[in-house]
Amino acid sequence: MKLIILETYSQASEWAAKYIRNRIVQFGPGPGRFFTLGLPTGLPRVHPESYHSFMWNNFFKHIDISPENVHILDGNAPDLQAECDAFEEKIKAAGGIELFVGGIGPDGHIAFNEPGSSLVSRTRVKTLAMDTILANARFFDGDLSKVPTMALTVGVGTVMDAREVMILITGAHKAFALYKAIEEGVNHMWTVSAFQQHPNTVFVCDEDATLELKVKTVKYFKGLMLVHNKLVEPLYSMKETGAERSQSKKPYSD
Amino acid sequence: REDLWVREGKILNPEKLFFDEKGSADVQLDCKGSIIAPGFIDVQINGGFGVDFSLATDDFKSGIDLVSQKILSHGVTSFCPTLVTSPPSVYHQVLPQISVRNGGAHGAGILGAHLEGPFISREKKGAHPEHCLRTFEAGAFQDLLNTYGSLDCVRIVTLAPEMKRSSEVIRELTKRGVCVSLGHSVANLSQAEEAVQHGATFITHLFNAMLPFHHRDPGIVGLLTSDKIPAGRRVFYGMISDGIHTNPAALRIAHRAHPKGLVLVTDAIAGMGLAPGRHTLGQQVVEIDGLNTYIAGTKTLSGSVATMDTCVRHFQEATGCSIETALEAASLHPAQLLGIEQNKGTLNYDSDADFLMLNDKLYVQATYIAGQEIWRQDASGM
């Protein structure tokens, strides 16, 4: 894996954004597709805390993505399992996921794959763990009874099929999960640890998230920042020629 | 910073469009960082540009059309043509020629007439002609109906509540959906409160043509902080913030006492938009000198030559309030007064797309009605 450590939350966000931008440009999107993943069920579409509202307000309305390329699991579909299966089909039809971007929960989960989820699971309905419900209560005025208890999510196996995985981890409250994910073994209680077996993973974090790691680990990866920064400098643009763009920079192998 | 979405003359919810219809914009307009605000609503305007709504001329209809066109550049997208105290013949001739209509390329929308008088107090007639004042002592509502002829397109009536049988009249008008406003009156606070209990909801140009605030009897002004207002109702009050009708300190006192009730009005007269000189206001002759408009030969204020956008700017400067507050006083509050806030006075989803683009100094750059650009400030500053 590549572990990218930036000092602050905004620096980590900026690094991740630049990386994603370069990857998109390199990918040379034509009829490019965009998939989005975890979605709590039961919330009406127009609820301000639904993923639709969240994605619209924080992402879609700021970019010129065409609505047919947006695929969000519909938590209000009549047959939830069919909805999940269809999602897996759409991913296949689009040629598989090129880059998966996600975060982790304080309990080490990726998407809503709660502790105990199978590491080869596919898109399905999951019951949320208390940890996750607590973490989400802040979006519902702190009222636990208002937080949905089930969610549709991509499976660990689904994400493992992506050609590249990027995980963003910021904040001290995620530090223990990060430790479990990268310094301990692969364990279905900390589902992010599955990515130790993925050929192409990038973890982007801030200083606070490294608080539970060994000093040795942190020093090693900080020392590599010179090399890793070559992934975001130069910053590519869609206006450059095809030849320049398709040079993929691989400073070293994983 | 946000985008505004419009479809078929209404403000559109883009989230629904994106997710449900998988739609996107057909036309995109770069507003270059302007402020987008709901169109202004002027509920008291007696005329302008040489047109006097209280004069029964042959070309009355084209007069109203002219004013509704010209005020677009002031940011007004809906208004209530106002008639001052006039003889019954004027009402009978003029009112049938006013019709409630939507705005559009032809001009701002007409919400209905505002009849200011003739059932007002002799002592506080202001610029209104004494010989046309009337009472409804004898026949209450019937008297009123006979005087006006018809209430079909009447939206607001200003009267003095201390007059005998006013309660009956107020109740009947309210029942018919007409907004009753208190003004040109010497009522004390309890008379004013009684009127509100019977249905009155507005005060015509606060401070002007009423008893001054007195600490033991605040009069009509006391309605701003009265505790006798029926639950769930709000009293609104018009203010002419042209810097002349009220001292800025008085404007600030009213605003601070009851910010949510303040409605900006122009009370503009025929001379608005024209060079200084002599003009008419119904049966009276008015002299305009700069921003001052007096009954010829007197120092009695009669209407103003202020424009709505000037009033908004002056209000914001005098009170130091936020831009949103200043804009709401000219859009949201008048809409709430008339009970039309579901459609007008806001930029909420599904409301009518009547809006303005203003620069940071609150000068109107463009006026839109039903999503169409109807007026734009051109480079020469016309």
Side-chain angles (χ1 to χ4, degrees):
Chain A
M1 70 163 180
K2 297 187 191 64
L3 179 62
I4 314 286
I5 305 172
L6 281 308
E7 215 180 297
T8 65
Y9 172 81
S10 26
Q11 284 170 334
S13 313
E14 201 181 319
W15 196 99
K18 287 183 175 162
Y19 183 79
I20 293 174
R21 171 180 162 155
N22 274 353
R23 287 293 275 110
I24 293 177
V25 173
Q26 269 174 357
F27 178 69
R33 284 178 224 244
F34 184 93
F35 276 86
T36 353
L37 55 113
L39 183 73
T41 68
L43 275 185
R45 176 81 56 80
V46 294
H47 191 286
E49 294 308 335
S50 81
Y51 266 77
H52 288 95
S53 296
F54 181 85
M55 292 303 298
W56 168 260
N57 282 311
N58 290 301
F59 190 42
F60 299 137
K61 80 177 178 198
H62 301 288
I63 60 175
D64 63 350
I65 185 171
S66 86
E68 304 83 49
N69 289 337
V70 174
H71 308 276
I72 301 187
L73 284 165
D74 181 3
N76 289 312
D79 182 345
L80 293 177
Q81 193 50 53
E83 173 74 10
C84 295
D85 294 341
F87 198 73
E88 289 275 345
E89 286 305 312
K90 281 191 225 161
I91 294 176
K92 253 201 229 100
I97 300 176
E98 178 69 23
L99 170 65
F100 177 96
V101 180
I104 67 176
D107 58 2
H109 73 227
I110 176 70
F112 281 118
N113 292 289
E114 305 288 62
S117 297
S118 158
L119 297 180
V120 293
S121 49
R122 312 302 306 183
T123 306
R124 67 213 184 290
V125 185
K126 278 298 284 181
T127 312
L128 300 180
M130 180 46 89
D131 247 5
T132 306
I133 294 182
L134 286 172
N136 282 307
R138 70 182 193 273
F139 295 120
F140 295 90
D141 301 318
D143 184 350
L144 291 181
S145 64
K146 291 212 181 95
V147 185
T149 53
M150 311 244 284
L152 298 183
T153 179
V154 285
V156 183
T158 317
V159 182
M160 284 291 284
D161 283 348
R163 283 182 277 290
E164 185 172 356
V165 178
M166 171 188 261
I167 309 289
L168 298 160
I169 305 151
T170 53
H173 57 302
K174 302 284 173 79
F176 193 70
L178 178 59
Y179 151 67
K180 281 288 184 187
I182 64 179
E183 286 188 340
E184 300 267 300
V186 175
N187 187 326
H188 66 173
M189 284 303 174
W190 302 89
T191 46
V192 184
S193 62
F195 299 121
Q196 292 179 25
Q197 307 215 296
H198 189 285
N200 216 344
T201 314
V202 184
F203 284 87
V204 181
C205 56
D206 63 355
E207 288 278 353
D208 285 346
T210 63
L211 287 174
E212 295 282 351
L213 298 179
K214 284 207 172 76
V215 176
K216 186 163 94 174
T217 311
V218 175
K219 280 200 162 159
Y220 172 66
F221 284 104
K222 276 193 173 168
L224 286 175
M225 279 311 285
L226 220 58
V227 175
H228 288 156
N229 276 334
K230 295 216 180 99
L231 293 166
V232 294
E233 308 285 337
L235 206 53
Y236 295 129
S237 151
M238 292 299 294
K239 303 184 191 110
E240 284 154 13
T241 68
E244 283 169 28
R245 273 201 252 139
S246 54
Q247 265 176 60
S248 72
K249 300 248 172 205
K250 274 225 131 213
Y252 67 95
S253 54
D254 274 336
Chain B
R1 289 191 70 106
E2 271 284 357
D3 294 331
L4 182 74
W5 291 70
V6 175
R7 178 162 71 181
E8 280 164 21
K10 304 248 182 215
I11 313 253
L12 177 66
N13 181 347
E15 240 187 274
K16 275 179 64 182
L17 175 70
F18 189 82
F19 289 120
D20 291 344
E21 297 177 42
K22 307 257 187 265
S24 49
D26 295 317
V27 176
Q28 286 189 26
L29 190 60
D30 181 1
C31 303
K32 306 197 175 29
S34 329
I35 296 175
I36 299 183
F40 299 147
I41 301 175
D42 193 353
V43 301
Q44 188 172 3
I45 166 173
N46 308 290
F49 308 97
V51 176
D52 179 353
F53 296 145
S54 309
L55 226 47
T57 57
D58 290 330
D59 58 350
F60 184 83
K61 273 219 165 88
S62 54
I64 243 196
D65 289 345
L66 179 74
V67 174
S68 69
Q69 259 270 314
K70 294 281 203 174
I71 54 179
L72 293 172
S73 63
H74 305 157
V76 178
T77 52
S78 305
F79 70 109
C80 294
T82 308
L83 274 76
V84 297
T85 298
S86 307
S89 54
V90 170
Y91 295 117
H92 293 196
Q93 282 178 271
V94 168
L95 288 182
Q97 300 194 58
I98 297 179
S99 50
V100 172
R101 67 171 190 220
N102 284 327
H106 51 271
I110 296 177
L111 299 169
H114 175 168
L115 303 181
E116 192 188 0
F119 304 102
I120 54 176
S121 148
R122 211 153 284 269
E123 293 96 326
K124 287 291 176 188
K125 63 183 186 294
H128 294 228
E130 182 154 357
H131 63 280
C132 296
L133 300 181
R134 297 169 81 89
T135 72
F136 31 55
E137 252 179 74
F141 183 75
Q142 198 51 48
D143 274 356
L144 180 136
L145 198 52
N146 291 340
T147 306
Y148 294 143
S150 142
L151 285 175
D152 279 346
C153 61
V154 173
R155 205 65 194 78
I156 309 175
V157 169
T158 295
L159 48 78
E162 70 273 20
M163 299 182 75
K164 288 212 180 53
R165 305 186 74 179
S166 69
S167 318
E168 291 172 52
V169 175
I170 294 176
R171 269 201 312 271
E172 187 61 39
L173 283 169
T174 308
K175 214 164 63 178
R176 288 163 185 245
V178 175
C179 168
V180 176
S181 184
L182 310 179
H184 287 276
S185 151
V186 292
N188 58 31
L189 181 57
S190 27
Q191 286 166 328
E193 283 167 339
E194 210 191 301
V196 170
Q197 269 145 19
H198 287 291
T201 50
F202 196 44
I203 302 173
T204 302
H205 46 54
L206 187 78
F207 296 129
N208 303 110
M210 56 185 66
L211 291 176
F213 175 85
H214 184 281
H215 50 289
R216 275 189 294 276
D217 188 352
I220 292 179
V221 180
L223 284 177
L224 264 56
T225 46
S226 163
D227 55 0
K228 305 259 191 318
I229 312 290
R233 278 229 264 130
R234 189 191 303 176
V235 170
F236 291 88
Y237 56 99
M239 296 233 59
I240 308 171
S241 80
D242 60 354
I244 297 171
H245 279 75
T246 359
N247 185 299
L251 178 60
R252 282 189 287 272
I253 288 181
H255 168 63
R256 288 182 205 173
H258 183 30
K260 290 204 178 306
L262 201 150
V263 172
L264 291 175
V265 300
T266 57
D267 202 16
I269 56 168
M272 180 268 283
L274 302 179
R278 289 189 151 222
H279 297 277
T280 62
L281 177 62
Q283 313 294 310
Q284 307 274 57
V285 179
V286 166
E287 240 164 45
I288 299 176
D289 165 25
L291 288 172
N292 299 302
T293 52
Y294 300 119
I295 295 288
T298 72
K299 280 282 174 210
T300 306
L301 285 174
S302 62
S304 82
V305 287
T307 64
M308 190 54 123
D309 58 321
T310 324
C311 290
V312 171
R313 286 191 293 274
H314 182 266
F315 173 63
Q316 196 279 318
E317 263 173 59
T319 57
C321 67
S322 67
I323 292 188
E324 292 84 3
T325 307
L327 294 171
E328 281 184 346
S331 56
L332 176 65
H333 295 173
Q336 287 170 330
L337 164 70
L338 297 179
I340 54 176
E341 70 270 26
Q342 298 302 328
N343 295 322
K344 304 264 185 220
T346 68
L347 295 177
N348 292 342
Y349 298 139
D350 299 332
S351 67
D352 293 351
D354 296 349
F355 57 90
L356 312 171
M357 294 194 202
L358 305 131
N359 66 13
D360 288 340
K361 302 252 188 312
L362 298 185
Y363 280 84
V364 183
Q365 305 297 299
T367 306
Y368 285 71
I369 294 186
Q372 302 291 331
E373 183 187 286
I374 309 282
W375 180 83
R376 170 165 286 275
Q377 165 89 290
D378 63 36
S380 64
M382 281 301 294

